[in-house]
Amino acid sequence: MVKFGTNFARILRVQDNQAPLVATEAFEVERANLLAKNSWPVVIGHVMNGTLVMVILWSTSNAAHLLMWGALLAVATVARFAFAIVHHAGMSVEQARRFNNKCVALATTTGVLWGCAILLLPEGAMPLQHTFIAFVIAGMTSAAVSSNGPYFRAAASFICPAIIPLTVYYLTQGSFITVAIGFVLVIYMTVMMIVAFNVEGAIRTAYGVKLKKDELYQKLQSRTREAETREQRYRSIVEETSDLTICFDTAGTITYANPAAVDLLSIDFNAEPKRQFRDLVNIEDRDLIDDSVDHALAEPARAVQVYHLRLVAKHGGDRVVSGRIINLRHAPGVLGLVFQGANVAALRP
């Protein structure tokens, strides 16, 4: 009992902790959707088991009582079937709440009817008939835990009225074995109630996780779109500008060159992936570029200005540019240095 109390308290704490996470109104709609989906096995179970009970007891029980019981069970079953048909996933919160309350009412009705099944047994009924009724009610109770699992009230509304009459019947028979069976039924009912409570708690928690996952996914989608927009913006700025931009790693290997650099030097950098930035520089200016790169590596936060740097075009001739070298070794997508410069000849009036 101590362990049960501890687990019960833990479940309550879990549900309380999930309260900020789970929108109660949203869960009300989800609960209605699950109850509607579970209506079909409920209907099938009532029809099949109810038919079996009537067939087994027909020859020994009061036919009028048996037919009345079967008719009432059929009405309740048809009502659950009708609710499942008219249910739609897009119902409002208020509609979902009404649907859930109707499921509780029907669960109570069918629970009472199955509890009354023990009264259908005639005087001096065979022990196997008692066993059969107890077996069927226990099976229907177990099924109610799963089918009504999203709503503990609905599960409890079936379990209690179905099990209690059977329990009272066995407890009042007087013999040791029947009293023992009655106590077993009390334990069984208690366990089923605990399981039903746990099932609703698990479903509520799982739905809360789903809502959180959907929220995180929406945020991820939003930030992905923002990142794509920024990338397109920066790419447009870099690729549409007349200033050349050349990225190279710490070994000097060129990793990117914008269209302005390609046009100015007439070099297809994609066709020559291992080209060195230093090889683009006129041999007389290589000491200048080496010193500038060293300063940039030593001071990542500062842009190193480079004036009148001569770059060698593919078909000969120098292109004089002025610009700066920036150390972006720790910037995602760059991981190296960037030279940004402008064609001096293009700047002259």
Side-chain angles (χ1 to χ4, degrees):
M1 290 301 292
V2 173
K3 185 176 180 180
F4 162 66
T6 303
N7 291 337
F8 193 81
R10 178 180 57 80
I11 294 166
L12 286 177
R13 286 197 300 272
V14 168
Q15 290 188 335
D16 289 342
N17 291 337
Q18 290 296 333
L21 182 63
V22 181
T24 303
E25 293 185 349
F27 182 69
E28 197 75 35
V29 175
E30 181 66 13
R31 172 188 279 160
N33 293 338
L34 292 173
L35 288 174
K37 290 178 182 178
N38 292 342
S39 293
W40 304 104
V42 170
V43 169
I44 294 172
H46 284 316
V47 170
M48 294 183 64
N49 287 315
T51 301
L52 282 173
V53 168
M54 294 185 68
V55 170
I56 295 297
L57 300 183
W58 184 259
S59 60
T60 57
S61 299
N62 185 298
H65 293 167
L66 201 59
L67 288 174
M68 182 179 298
W69 178 86
L72 292 174
L73 184 63
V75 170
T77 302
V78 169
R80 183 68 182 260
F81 180 76
F83 286 160
I85 292 178
V86 300
H87 171 270
H88 56 92
M91 63 172 46
S92 66
V93 175
E94 189 58 36
Q95 290 174 324
R97 189 171 287 114
R98 287 198 299 267
F99 179 87
N100 295 336
N101 290 335
K102 289 176 181 177
C103 286
V104 172
L106 285 175
T108 304
T109 302
T110 53
V112 170
L113 289 172
W114 280 108
C116 292
I118 193 67
L119 302 178
L120 298 175
L121 291 172
E123 290 288 338
M126 294 182 295
L128 281 178
Q129 289 180 317
H130 288 277
T131 303
F132 174 74
I133 292 296
F135 181 80
V136 170
I137 293 176
M140 292 299 296
T141 301
S142 178
V145 171
S146 57
S147 61
N148 293 323
Y151 203 5
F152 173 71
R153 281 181 56 199
S157 296
F158 181 89
I159 294 171
C160 292
I163 295 291
I164 289 176
L166 187 64
T167 303
V168 172
Y169 173 81
Y170 277 106
L171 288 175
T172 56
Q173 292 305 299
S175 68
F176 175 79
I177 187 65
T178 58
V179 172
I181 292 174
F183 277 110
V184 169
L185 287 172
V186 170
I187 296 171
Y188 177 76
M189 181 176 66
T190 304
V191 170
M192 288 296 100
M193 293 285 284
I194 295 172
V195 171
F197 184 83
N198 289 347
V199 168
E200 181 185 352
I203 292 174
R204 182 183 291 274
T205 302
Y207 186 67
V209 173
K210 175 182 178 297
L211 288 182
K212 189 64 176 178
K213 183 192 73 173
D214 292 344
E215 179 185 352
L216 292 175
Y217 179 75
Q218 291 175 0
K219 288 182 178 179
L220 176 62
Q221 290 290 91
S222 176
R223 293 186 179 181
T224 300
R225 288 192 294 268
E226 292 176 2
E228 290 175 349
T229 301
R230 286 197 299 269
E231 180 184 356
Q232 292 173 357
R233 183 187 304 121
Y234 295 143
R235 183 177 293 276
S236 298
I237 292 172
V238 171
E239 295 189 351
E240 299 299 328
T241 181
S242 59
D243 294 343
L244 72 160
T245 300
I246 300 175
C247 301
F248 55 96
D249 59 24
T250 53
T253 304
I254 295 174
T255 56
Y256 171 78
N258 72 339
V262 174
D263 294 341
L264 180 66
L265 302 176
S266 301
I267 297 174
D268 184 0
F269 291 94
N270 292 327
E272 303 179 43
K274 298 298 183 180
R275 179 179 283 272
Q276 296 289 305
F277 178 69
R278 194 171 186 272
D279 295 340
L280 297 179
V281 181
N282 185 296
I283 194 170
E284 296 179 359
D285 291 346
R286 288 182 181 177
D287 289 340
L288 170 63
I289 199 63
D290 290 342
D291 290 340
S292 300
V293 169
D294 290 341
H295 282 115
L297 290 173
E299 302 180 63
R302 187 171 69 88
V304 178
Q305 299 297 325
V306 181
Y307 297 102
H308 299 288
L309 179 69
R310 288 172 291 178
L311 300 181
V312 181
K314 182 176 182 178
H315 301 296
D318 292 337
R319 302 292 186 267
V320 182
V321 298
S322 292
R324 59 182 183 170
I325 294 178
I326 308 171
N327 182 357
L328 296 178
R329 285 189 300 167
H330 303 295
V334 181
L335 304 176
L337 295 94
V338 178
F339 174 76
Q340 294 177 317
N343 185 1
V344 173
L347 298 176
R348 293 172 182 170

